[in-house]
Amino acid sequence: MTTQTQSRMGATMNAPSALPAVPVKMQARDVKVFYGAKQALKGINLDIQENRVMALIGPSGCGKSTFLRCLNRMNDTIENCRVEGRLTIDGDDIYGRDIDPVQLRARVGMVFQKPNPFPKSIYDNIAYGPRIHGMASHRDEMDEVVQKSLQRAGLWNEVKDRLREPGTGLSGGQQQRLCIARAIAVSPDVILMDEPCSALDPIATAHIEELIDELRENYTIVIVTHNMQQAARVSQKTAFFHLGDMVECDDTEEIFTNPRDERTQGYITGRYG
Amino acid sequence: MTELADPDVRAVSPARSRYQSDEFVARLRRRYAAEQRFKYAGMAAIGLASLMLVVLLGSIISQGYTAFQQTSIALDITFDAAEIDPQGTRNPEVLAQANYAKLIRDSLGTVFPEATSRADRRTLSDLLSSGAPFELAMMVRDDPSLVGTTKRVWLTASDDVDQFMKGFIPRNVAETERRVNDVQVAAIDRLASKDSIEKSFNTTLFTAGDSREPELAGIWGAIVGSFMTLAITMALAVPIGVSAAIYLEEFAPKRWWTDLIEVNINNLAAVPSIVFGLLGLAVFLNFFGMPRSAPVVGGVVLALMTLPIIIIATRAALKAVPPSIREAALGIGASPLQTVLHHVLPLAMPGILTGTIIGMAHALGETAPLLMIGMVAFIVDIPGGFTDSATVLPVQIYMWADSPERAFTERTSAAIMILLGFLVLMNGLAVFLRKKFERRW
């Protein structure tokens, strides 16, 4: 499997000349985040390209999760959290007046570190999002949305006979794919993943990585990971965060083979982190 | 990784022997001994608590179970048409006003022909409850064809006869020291020999309102009053309490004023309940002029008292819902309200229900604030509405415990058993609902 993924990734890597043509989906300019008096991000500039996987790596507490949570305004739920600077999606200011956080989160889906399916049936887990957004008017449509989402998440064959059973009864890896299916069901443009494999075993992780690579065709993906091999396997672009700064962002291959900053060098060679 | 080859670490044997030394073994034994002592102390505490519970329940049940039986006396009553309905119209008003006491006296006269003196006849009449003539009137009202016939009917005995039959009034003491005199004792013995006096299930206790006569007193009025009061309490306290808790827990910003509110709610839960009664008296009765002794006022006062309990329980239940569920819902674009209503609240439901029912049980057993708003009045009628005068179970118990008649002692215990029965029922409901709504996540 791993070789397969690598070879597929290698194909995209081999065509760097195509990269400049890729449109930018989300853009961060001088983004600063404060938790009360403590500054967590010190002015981040980053372009996230459409239909690419962007990996955010860095040691614990470097602000990569904070940055990820700015992208769909999940930080709004944290008391005393303040965001400065400019963040855009398709040119719209994420923190602007005319963007509603609820609407934004439907456009920018999120998958969390720990699989968190609702304590409802597998079907209802998927159907909840489309239902509240009025995306399916009757049952047949909803059934189709559910089936398609589960198929895209590679879970359909495993659960098609037990859609009425609770989602919490699945294995950890299946639960995480269920969460991905749930995020896909509302047809977002961007999917944010916050260490989606850190609670999973290697086989389930391989499944998810494969899935991420397939999802790239239709979605823009930003993934935070502690696992550098994972970043190398699934992403086309990698950004290295350190102590609230974005140190370096480049093609994944460049970052891992030829890092420009010595902090990046130190981190990927395992000197700290 | 390379430390394993380190010579320092390879010197394991002296370190291991430290854990085998006598001193270490002795210390280990002391640790186990401490654990054992703690276990025994805990078991002793549980044993003691159980013992107290058994003593409490035992004393209440042993004192109260006799109240579920009531003595009655069978008499051959001649429903004399000339006495009951001289005109023969069978007019219900005439039937109701007839002198049924005379019928009873006549019947007793035939059973005890030797009692000729006025005093003796009166003494014999006292065998029966003062409600006995009324019972006859009810029979005739329900079946006017009884008039003109003679029928053997069971009539409620007076409380003294009842207590005598149950053995609470001893036979072998001087006549002046018991409430049943020698003539009555002889009469009871005669009735007993003819199988005309017996104890049967006391339905009056469950169907009647309060009365000055213990044999006519029942708990039904208090039960109805209690449930009307609780209905008001629940209708007010649950929606307000749950909404307040949801707002405070899920939406309110953390500012100094929300902290202040939180502190105040916690303190309110500890305010003595009689203070709420005083508040009710001052505000609802004196200022708003609401009716005295009414379940509606009692319900409002108890709702004020129960609110903090429900708010605290609901907040705890909401806090216990893992934040990952909120993130999951928000992450797919649910609004904060949808997140709470669709996901957080259902998961918090078991806790909320438990808190609510415990609060309600608390309210059911509350006496002091209701005394303040006049629900301690002597009320014979069963309340028919929320503004009728009523009393509640615990207050009824309080009033009966205060009554001098011996027969009220057992009825007090019986009422306590009924109240405890309702509390057990409510707690059972709480457990059932918690099990039913409990979900894994």
Side-chain angles (χ1 to χ4, degrees), chain B residues 48 66 80 177 197 235 293 315 375 418:
Chain B
L48 212 63
T66 48
D80 187 0
E177 284 178 25
I197 185 162
S293 314
R315 290 190 69 175
M375 289 190 91
I418 292 169

Side-chain angles (χ1 to χ4, degrees), chain A residues 54-171:
Chain A
M54 158 81 81
L56 309 181
I57 60 169
S60 297
C62 66
K64 54 194 188 306
S65 283
T66 298
F67 178 73
L68 191 75
R69 285 165 161 263
C70 288
L71 296 176
N72 69 344
R73 290 185 61 172
M74 280 303 270
N75 281 339
D76 286 13
T77 58
I78 298 168
E79 204 80 34
N80 295 328
C81 178
R82 192 157 48 85
V83 179
E84 284 176 10
R86 193 174 153 81
L87 268 164
T88 57
I89 174 167
D90 295 330
D92 299 331
D93 188 357
I94 287 177
Y95 283 84
R97 271 169 196 278
D98 40 334
I99 287 241
D100 183 83
V102 170
Q103 196 188 12
L104 175 75
R105 288 183 201 131
R107 267 167 94 178
V108 184
M110 189 155 188
V111 176
F112 298 86
Q113 182 171 1
K114 210 180 125 233
N116 56 353
F118 299 128
K120 297 173 187 268
S121 71
I122 293 171
Y123 184 95
D124 285 337
N125 259 286
I126 310 292
Y128 180 71
R131 197 175 290 146
I132 57 170
H133 294 303
M135 286 166 60
S137 51
H138 40 75
R139 261 208 96 70
D140 298 348
E141 263 181 274
M142 187 61 87
D143 289 348
E144 204 185 309
V145 169
V146 170
Q147 181 175 351
K148 229 160 95 188
S149 308
L150 284 170
Q151 276 168 343
R152 283 200 183 162
L155 197 60
W156 175 249
N157 288 328
E158 289 159 66
V159 302
K160 65 181 171 201
D161 300 323
R162 43 198 270 217
L163 291 175
R164 296 286 155 202
E165 284 172 36
T168 43
L170 299 171
S171 74

